[in-house]
Amino acid sequence: MMTAFGGISARLEKERLKAEGIGTNEKSFKYLNQDYETLKQECVESGQLFEDPTFPAVGTSLGFKELAPNSSKTQGVRWKRPSEIVSDPQFIIGGATRTDICQGALGDCWLLAAIGSLTLNEELLHRVVPHGQSFTEDYAGIFHFQIWQFGEWTDVVIDDRLPVKDGELVFVHSASNNEFWSALLEKAYAKLNGSYEALSGGSTTEGFEDFTGGVAEMYDLKRAPRDLYTIIKKALERGSLLGCSIDITSAFDMEAVTFKKLVKGHAYSITGVREVVYRGRQVKLIRIRNPWGQVEWTGAWSDNSSEWNDIDSDDKQDMRISMEDGEFWMPFQDFLREFSRIEICNLTADTLSGDDVSRWHTANYDGTWRRGSTAGGCRNHPNTFWINPQFKICLLEEDDDPDDSENACSFLAALMQKNRRLQRKAGQDMHTIGFAVYEVPDEYKGCQNVHLKKDFFLTHQSCARSETFINLREVSTRIKLPPGEYLVVPSTFEPHKEADFVLRVFTEKHSTTEELDEEIGADLPDEEDITEESVDAGFKNMFSQLAGEDKEISVFELRQILNRVVSKHKDLKTDGFSMESCRSMINLMDKDGSARLGVVEFQILWNKIRRWLGIFRQFDLDKSGTMSAYEMRLAVESAGFKLNNKLNQVLVARYADDKMSIDFDNFICCLVKLEAMFRSFKAMDTEDSGAVEMSLGEWLVLTMCG
């Protein structure tokens, strides 16, 4: 329970910091609580170069499989500081350019394509690469970078020890061998994801978003919109980041080079577009960059092709001067034919593609999928789909689009799973994720404290959904719907898949967005007004036999009684009531502080258990003698308790077994605990305000006795 408590307290602390504005680019979170300025000052004063204990210069920081310690690929790798590699190391030489990013022995071309695009916008670059870092002034072997992660900016501190083999950097490097900013940025990103190897393979949009906090969209070039060239041109003008790639059809295709020297399964960045007059007609061209810094397109308009001889000399000079190594022009029509997809990262919510001119409103929601409580899978699993987190969007105003006769509201929903690269060393990877959108029924419009149940989803079709369920970090879809209230249900494709996620919603006009969840409450029956005289004679006789001479039942006796009774009910699965659960029952019923139950107290407890037994049997739908975690959620509500998603997660973690089943004794213990806690709170909340104030001593008494 300490782990769960620690997790809850850490989450509350993070929510408090976010409320204070921490997490913006100006006030980023300090990753692992490392403060760059403080650590640097300590190093300067001590004369020691910084050595980062949280990402040490050891084999496990390189990787866990192909780059695992003692693997063939890591033989001979040494960690060296730039001053040990070259005599005159520089952080940035002559400004950051696209030639500063050359790929090394790591399959992170997707990341390098994103970094390369970042260099096209100096303002963006310096949000990620803070000013004032160098190998001369106050050099202390420490650097820092700011990276966006799942809705918030994070400041990542590193030392400058880099992996080297045969005297050269193993991973990303600059065309200038004494320039190191790109290698250090890659290291910061590797630290954030657990290792260098965790960066292998990915989508350029992932890097785009982590360097901008923007929102990405993807276009399949086989189904490209007619105005794609205009979309690309406007996106480049707005400083958006763009990437493209060629799909592979099998593992053998990975990084296979085509006849005209394009690389399959490889991430390129798009750096420009241009229209030129060629032999009397307008030709649309697009400029692409390979982060390898070499291997270029050899078709029309390639570096040495004859087409350059037939255009205006000023155009030719301007276009050729702006070229970098690994960069090439190609006809836009060839681009559509040769490449498979394009990814565009819109830098702010009001720079989404198309002709949108009004400011978009944004909302971020953190959520979790937890096995047994909130991981229900997609709509193919109707018994569990309803338990997924639910978010309501109120679309209040129609778009301003004079050319669109449809009265509709635009919004973009982007669902991103968190921290999956960190799980790679444990053998896990991206889940397959997506979302469905439903119109809120009339009876629930305007309601916040409601979580729609199974019956609703069995009888209502979705009105929109993500284009596909896919195993990418983020799935985003642009949707148009009439004004109204809608429900977004994010999910993994299969149930029981655990992950944290962030749902981002961008709406063109004013809207409201909120998570739908039950309001915590309990409809507790009044305590039974029973006197000793009113207790049935037969029950008294049974009690006397059980209680012994002192006429009271201790925790030990209660355990014997309950276990003897449930053993006679063959339809109930139980491994017996524990001492802890019996103490909870006595604490709930003990009115005189004797830690024992008299006949009246025992009668009241017995009545509760009989009522709860009826509920257990009612919701044990398959008559297995246990309840699934989903059945328990409904059973707990039937017993009078309304709990939100977080509390349902706590109950499953506390009372379910590894197969997500709850047996009879754990069900009773859960209800006893809930009733005791609700009654304790109600007793302290004398003004019925929904909040109480207590001292540390009172808190400890309540939690230790509960």
Side-chain angles (χ1 to χ4, degrees), residues 454-509:
K454 174 180 171 181
D455 287 347
F456 169 79
F457 296 103
L458 288 176
T459 55
H460 292 76
Q461 291 287 322
S462 63
C463 55
R465 59 183 184 271
S466 52
E467 288 184 15
T468 182
F469 273 74
I470 193 167
N471 60 340
L472 292 177
R473 186 177 72 161
E474 184 176 63
V475 173
S476 65
T477 300
R478 186 185 291 262
I479 296 168
K480 289 182 110 174
L481 291 170
E485 293 187 20
Y486 298 92
L487 193 69
V488 181
V489 184
S491 73
T492 56
F493 187 72
E494 295 288 342
H496 317 310
K497 301 293 185 183
E498 295 198 323
D500 297 328
F501 67 83
V502 59
L503 176 68
R504 297 189 290 164
V505 177
F506 303 82
T507 53
E508 182 175 316
K509 304 292 295 229

Side-chain angles (χ1 to χ4, degrees), residues 217-229:
E217 295 182 277
M218 187 182 294
Y219 292 94
D220 180 346
L221 295 183
K222 300 297 176 278
R223 297 181 293 150
R226 283 178 298 175
D227 59 344
L228 182 62
Y229 184 85

Side-chain angles (χ1 to χ4, degrees), residues 295-563:
V295 187
E296 295 185 14
W297 163 254
T298 57
W301 296 95
S302 58
D303 286 7
N304 299 311
S305 69
S306 60
E307 285 85 359
W308 293 102
N309 300 325
D310 293 318
I311 66 168
D312 183 84
S313 58
D314 289 342
D315 282 342
K316 177 179 177 180
Q317 183 178 7
D318 184 36
M319 292 169 71
R320 299 296 286 273
I321 284 175
S322 63
M323 298 280 281
E324 306 279 4
D325 283 346
E327 204 164 32
F328 54 86
W329 291 95
M330 66 187 299
F332 189 68
Q333 288 305 314
D334 286 359
F335 167 75
L336 293 177
R337 184 174 60 251
E338 298 285 346
F339 282 83
S340 306
R341 63 189 64 252
I342 180 173
E343 298 157 319
I344 300 177
C345 182
N346 304 285
L347 299 184
T348 57
D350 57 330
T351 56
L352 292 163
S353 66
D355 296 317
D356 306 322
V357 292
S358 56
R359 181 164 182 80
W360 285 58
H361 300 263
T362 65
N364 284 12
Y365 288 96
D366 293 309
T368 59
W369 294 301
R370 288 293 176 268
R371 186 168 169 249
S373 57
T374 54
C378 72
R379 296 168 302 158
N380 297 348
H381 305 275
N383 286 331
T384 56
F385 177 67
W386 65 274
I387 69 168
N388 286 299
Q390 300 173 10
F391 300 87
K392 186 170 74 171
I393 304 174
C394 297
L395 301 175
L396 305 174
E397 300 177 59
E398 297 163 5
D399 298 345
D400 293 326
D401 189 348
D403 299 324
D404 190 349
S405 58
E406 185 181 4
N407 295 327
C409 309
S410 296
F411 70 96
L412 185 143
L415 173 65
M416 180 184 293
Q417 50 189 320
K418 294 183 179 181
N419 299 317
R420 297 307 299 171
R421 288 186 180 275
L422 279 171
Q423 309 299 322
R424 281 189 171 181
K425 57 188 171 188
Q428 300 183 36
D429 212 325
M430 299 292 179
H431 289 314
T432 301
I433 61 171
F435 55 84
V437 182
Y438 294 82
E439 186 173 4
V440 174
D442 290 342
E443 63 268 31
Y444 292 116
K445 284 181 178 170
C447 298
Q448 177 186 2
N449 300 313
V450 61
H451 187 98
L452 295 182
K453 303 296 190 296
K454 174 180 171 181
D455 287 347
F456 169 79
F457 296 103
L458 288 176
T459 55
H460 292 76
Q461 291 287 322
S462 63
C463 55
R465 59 183 184 271
S466 52
E467 288 184 15
T468 182
F469 273 74
I470 193 167
N471 60 340
L472 292 177
R473 186 177 72 161
E474 184 176 63
V475 173
S476 65
T477 300
R478 186 185 291 262
I479 296 168
K480 289 182 110 174
L481 291 170
E485 293 187 20
Y486 298 92
L487 193 69
V488 181
V489 184
S491 73
T492 56
F493 187 72
E494 295 288 342
H496 317 310
K497 301 293 185 183
E498 295 198 323
D500 297 328
F501 67 83
V502 59
L503 176 68
R504 297 189 290 164
V505 177
F506 303 82
T507 53
E508 182 175 316
K509 304 292 295 229
H510 181 62
S511 66
T512 61
T513 314
E514 60 192 344
E515 182 172 5
L516 281 185
D517 209 349
E518 299 287 5
E519 183 177 19
I520 299 171
D523 182 16
L524 298 176
D526 293 334
E527 292 281 18
E528 290 186 83
D529 187 16
I530 297 176
T531 63
E532 192 167 338
E533 291 72 29
S534 64
V535 175
D536 178 81
F539 189 87
K540 278 185 183 177
N541 186 45
M542 179 189 75
F543 178 81
S544 297
Q545 293 175 20
L546 298 171
E549 294 181 4
D550 61 0
K551 304 297 184 188
E552 288 191 314
I553 289 179
S554 68
V555 64
F556 305 100
E557 290 165 332
L558 179 61
R559 186 185 184 199
Q560 288 178 332
I561 294 164
L562 293 177
N563 287 339

Side-chain angles (χ1 to χ4, degrees), residues 56 83 86 139 164 189 206 209 218 241 285 306 308 326 381-382 456 472 499 503 540 547 555 558 584 605 619 656 666:
S83 59
V86 298
Y139 168 70
V164 173
Y189 205 74
E206 199 172 329
E209 293 188 342
M218 187 182 294
L241 306 186
L285 302 176
S306 60
W308 293 102
H381 305 275
F456 169 79
L472 292 177
L503 176 68
K540 278 185 183 177
V555 64
L558 179 61
S584 295
L605 175 62
F619 286 94
N666 273 307

